[in-house]
Amino acid sequence: MQEKSLTMLADAPLTPTERRRSLIAVIACISVVGMGLGVSIPLLALLMERSGVPASLIGLNTAMPALATFVFTPFIPGLLRRVPAIAFLLGCIAVSAIAMPAYYLFPSIWLWFFIRFVNGLALTGLFVVSEFWINTLADEKNRGRLIGIYGTVLSCGFASGPILLFLVGTEGMAPFAVIACVIAAAALPLLLFGRGLAPRVTERPTRSFASFFIAAPAATLAGLVYGATETDIFNMLPVYGVRIGMTEQTAAFVLSIFAAGNILCQIPIGLWADRADRRFVLLVCALIGLLGTIAIPFVAHSIWLFAPTLFLFGGVVVGLYTVGLTLLGERFRGADLASANAAFVMMYSIGALIGPPLSGAAMDLWDPHGLIVAMGGLCGLYVLIAGWRYFTAPRIRPAP
């Protein structure tokens, strides 16, 4: 028997001050977590490399958070019916903060698999609930803009992580202690601004978890395509660049250009999505993602051509994530929205898991342009799905 009702404070009339406090709480929280991630990912990779860990084991260890996401996301909506969102987020922050010194105290690659998996569970909870919170605060006039701001601030936090790593170094306990403190600091905006304003779920979703992939295929698969594309860019594009003749420094530098596009274009795309048919925006993002992928071999010989191409590609393809989340918020409410957000994060995680292995296998078959075939093939399939949904799904009038 279903419980009586769904109570969500974000659906109640909030004063402008309460709405600002709520937005500050959730966006500041996730941006600080992003900074902690931006430090920890390269730190762990560097330490494993320094210890002589084989590249295959480094790759498997790096995949643990994605595996944790795949395992944990179906259970998050149910947990939110039993645990208040603020308490849930604070618990996730505590687990993630404690995990950092645990890496230092237990310097074994095999124990790191377990620690990274548990840390991945906590990070999954943080991302799913924060995105659910943002979607509940938004309305159809500003949903794309708010999600664009959320994504931009998160990307800025993630991008600033390596700068912090440069300042604290990679030796001894210091970097782990600093990262733990940074992640723990994410609790402050929740306690100062978010208490009493987080969404509450008190009923079961009306749909099964798997049904969201059928009910909203364009929105949910946008997460998968972006997860695979982003992971391919950061993991495989430097390898591609070196194999076509770039220096290692240039191949690494182009990642900053892709990240800059991510940061600067999310808000404009979100604003566009608030004023246009969001399925059309999603289709355009997918088309430019396909064209950008195909263009890479033709412009990569010149940094002056490659840089603007990669900036535009990175800026527009991130719209798959921004607009995909926006479409879910437009379509679902309450417990269904919590489940839809969880499904979206799971699809992103699946994309991150399958992208690099597929691209790596393709590069083995056609070195190095198999990467372009793999990425382009995935984007091309998604263009067909996004186009099918745009031309056949019922039209939703954009907010005035």
Side-chain angles (χ1 to χ4, degrees), residues 81-212:
R81 295 198 305 272
R82 297 168 176 82
V83 181
I86 290 287
F88 182 86
L89 289 171
L90 291 175
C92 291
I93 289 170
V95 170
S96 187
I98 292 170
M100 296 315 304
Y103 289 116
Y104 178 79
L105 296 172
F106 304 100
S108 162
I109 182 64
W110 305 112
L111 287 175
W112 279 19
F113 273 90
F114 173 74
I115 297 170
R116 206 157 191 177
F117 180 82
V118 173
N119 193 22
L121 297 176
L123 293 171
T124 297
L126 285 165
F127 282 108
V128 171
V129 176
S130 65
E131 290 171 2
F132 168 53
W133 191 343
I134 286 286
N135 250 330
T136 61
L137 284 172
D139 57 39
E140 294 317 308
K141 294 181 180 180
N142 66 7
R143 190 177 305 280
R145 175 169 59 89
L146 289 185
I147 293 176
I149 292 171
Y150 163 86
T152 299
V153 175
L154 173 60
S155 296
C156 287
F158 195 88
S160 65
I163 298 173
L164 181 59
L165 182 61
F166 174 78
L167 295 175
V168 301
T170 61
E171 300 292 338
M173 179 67 168
F176 295 97
V178 169
I179 298 168
C181 290
V182 167
I183 293 173
L188 293 177
L190 295 178
L191 295 172
L192 292 174
F193 301 105
R195 297 177 69 177
L197 297 176
R200 294 197 305 262
V201 176
T202 61
E203 73 171 15
R204 297 179 183 276
T206 61
R207 296 174 176 271
S208 67
F209 190 80
S211 71
F212 293 101

